[in-house]
Amino acid sequence: MIETDILIIGAGPAGLFTVFEAGLLKMRCHIIDALPQMGGQLSELYPKKPIFDIPGFPSVLAGELVDNLYEQIKQFEPGFTFNETAIHLLKLEENLFEVITDKGTKHRAKAVIIAGGLGSFEPKKPPIENISEYEDSGVSYFVKHPEDYAGKRVVIAGGGDSALDWAIHLAEITSSLTLIHRRNEFRGALDSVEKVKKLKHEGKIHLITPAEVIGLKGNDSLEEIVIEKEGSVQTIETDYFIPLFGLVPKLGPLADWGLELEKNAIKVDNSTDFQTNIPGVYAVGDINTYPYKMKLILCGFHEAAIACQSIYQRLNPHKKFVLKYTTVSGIEGFDGTKKQAEKQVVATIG
């Protein structure tokens, strides 16, 4: 049995920052995540891609942001349960919940914060009959480690931002890069489309439109793809095929927890504290919804801070809480560290 003050479902950026906000209030946290590492989508889907809308960072790689968030929270000694999915939620009493994972691990906490991003998600796979045969030997639905494709022949399929961005990035390191889209028009950012056009004219990207990949060939690993273009069929030799058609988000087991849902998201009360219809259970980040909701990392940070304040007051109804800025109060970690701003020198001028 793992016991904590706040149990967080999801180790993405919102979940990680929740640990910091809870730590400032002397509340301990434990995080459950189905992935084998922290970071959520940032680590799983695009660790090497830059993020441009984090305050104070003109640009920061997704993986770097995850590392920084962990560096910020490790003084509060969070616990982690990785590679396990939260399956059951039980309310034992007013301020006591039990969450059980798919591997039978039991967690008890005084409050629960769901920070599951998009929930569980699966890639949209193209309708190619034998694609599953090559999923570990040439076919990949995400680009986790760009360096794996250095000097290789790579085919990317898709017409959105992800396909365009990775085509631009990988074109500089692969021996050949082919981009295939079923339409002539792309639906990505105009700047990315212009970059792809430029790389095509420079001979760094082979662009095939309108066309679709209809077959895969190879013995132990992928060797060729079969393309249909305007009624004719051709094959292209390749080492890797990366279809980037987006993700299908699913709430998974959370959908059976008795939470009020709206369009595959958890409804929360944004007028107060981002609490769900179950008192003591909160939802922050991309997994929640409310009027004018914006799915931005910085919004998840804000929601996490408010939720932690609410939980503190819920668990300490007779204590008067006074917000203190960290510039004044400093930060006292659970590991014994104390970070304090240097005191200004006070002197009399005679």
Side-chain angles (χ1 to χ4, degrees):
M1 177 71 68
I2 296 171
E3 297 185 355
T4 188
D5 293 321
I6 301 175
L7 184 65
I8 302 168
I9 313 297
L16 294 176
F17 190 68
T18 299
V19 176
F20 179 78
E21 290 296 324
L24 294 178
L25 298 168
K26 305 303 179 187
M27 296 186 294
R28 292 187 176 275
C29 295
H30 189 93
I31 302 180
I32 301 174
D33 200 289
L35 297 175
Q37 75 285 318
M38 70 183 72
Q41 297 173 61
L42 274 67
S43 297
E44 186 71 5
L45 303 184
Y46 47 88
K48 302 294 185 179
K49 291 187 72 174
I51 300 173
F52 301 105
D53 58 1
I54 303 298
F57 290 89
S59 174
V60 59
L61 294 181
E64 261 182 62
L65 179 59
V66 173
D67 292 341
N68 290 343
L69 285 166
Y70 179 66
E71 186 66 27
Q72 185 179 29
I73 68 172
K74 67 181 183 181
Q75 62 199 310
F76 297 120
E77 302 178 329
F80 292 94
T81 298
F82 288 125
N83 265 326
E84 297 188 31
T85 302
I87 297 292
H88 301 293
L89 170 70
L90 306 172
K91 188 168 185 176
L92 304 179
E93 52 188 73
E94 182 61 23
N95 289 320
L96 186 61
F97 296 86
E98 184 170 287
V99 173
I100 306 172
T101 70
D102 57 339
K103 295 183 180 178
T105 307
K106 294 183 178 180
H107 307 74
R108 283 190 179 175
K110 300 170 184 175
V112 175
I113 295 183
I114 302 170
L118 291 174
S120 61
F121 49 87
E122 298 176 0
K124 293 180 181 178
K125 300 181 181 182
I128 300 173
E129 185 176 352
N130 62 340
I131 193 167
S132 61
E133 297 176 17
Y134 298 100
E135 287 178 348
D136 294 320
S137 56
V139 172
S140 180
Y141 304 104
F142 313 113
V143 180
K144 296 182 183 178
H145 305 290
E147 60 273 13
D148 291 345
Y149 304 98
K152 303 295 184 179
R153 300 167 299 178
V154 176
V155 174
I156 293 176
D161 285 316
S162 184
L164 292 168
D165 290 347
W166 281 120
I168 293 166
H169 183 86
L170 295 179
E172 301 296 338
I173 64 172
T174 56
S175 62
S176 70
L177 192 290
T178 301
L179 177 60
I180 298 172
H181 183 38
R182 60 183 178 178
R183 299 186 180 92
N184 289 316
E185 302 80 22
F186 289 84
R187 62 185 184 280
L190 181 59
D191 179 63
S192 297
V193 174
E194 293 301 320
K195 286 180 180 177
V196 168
K197 286 182 180 178
K198 183 175 182 292
L199 290 168
K200 174 191 173 185
H201 293 313
E202 293 173 354
K204 295 181 178 180
I205 288 181
H206 181 209
L207 186 62
I208 304 178
T209 61
E212 288 188 76
V213 178
I214 60 172
L216 306 174
K217 295 181 179 181
N219 293 317
D220 295 332
S221 60
L222 182 65
E223 297 173 3
E224 295 180 334
I225 62 168
V226 182
I227 301 171
E228 183 177 7
K229 175 177 167 58
E230 298 177 327
S232 63
V233 175
Q234 59 178 297
T235 60
I236 295 179
E237 293 183 353
T238 189
D239 301 304
Y240 292 98
F241 173 49
I242 310 173
L244 298 174
F245 298 141
L247 302 172
V248 180
K250 295 182 178 180
L251 282 177
L254 299 180
D256 300 321
W257 284 11
L259 299 162
E260 187 176 356
L261 307 178
E262 182 179 291
K263 295 182 179 179
N264 213 39
I266 301 170
K267 289 187 70 174
V268 295
D269 181 2
N270 67 306
S271 65
T272 54
D273 54 8
F274 304 100
Q275 197 164 187
T276 70
N277 61 302
I278 301 176
V281 177
Y282 300 71
V284 302
D286 287 356
I287 202 164
N288 75 14
T289 186
Y290 51 84
Y292 304 106
K293 165 70 179 181
M294 295 180 68
K295 292 184 182 293
L296 296 174
I297 292 174
L298 64 92
C299 294
F301 291 164
H302 159 74
E303 294 162 8
I306 299 298
C308 286
Q309 299 286 341
S310 173
I311 291 171
Y312 178 85
Q313 294 175 41
R314 180 183 179 85
L315 300 181
N316 302 279
H318 303 299
K319 284 187 180 180
K320 184 177 180 180
F321 174 73
V322 179
L323 176 66
K324 294 181 180 179
Y325 300 109
T326 54
T327 49
V328 176
S329 64
I331 300 174
E332 295 182 11
F334 295 164
D335 59 2
T337 59
K338 171 71 174 178
K339 297 179 181 178
Q340 186 77 42
E342 292 185 12
K343 300 295 184 182
Q344 291 183 328
V345 176
V346 179
T348 299
I349 299 177

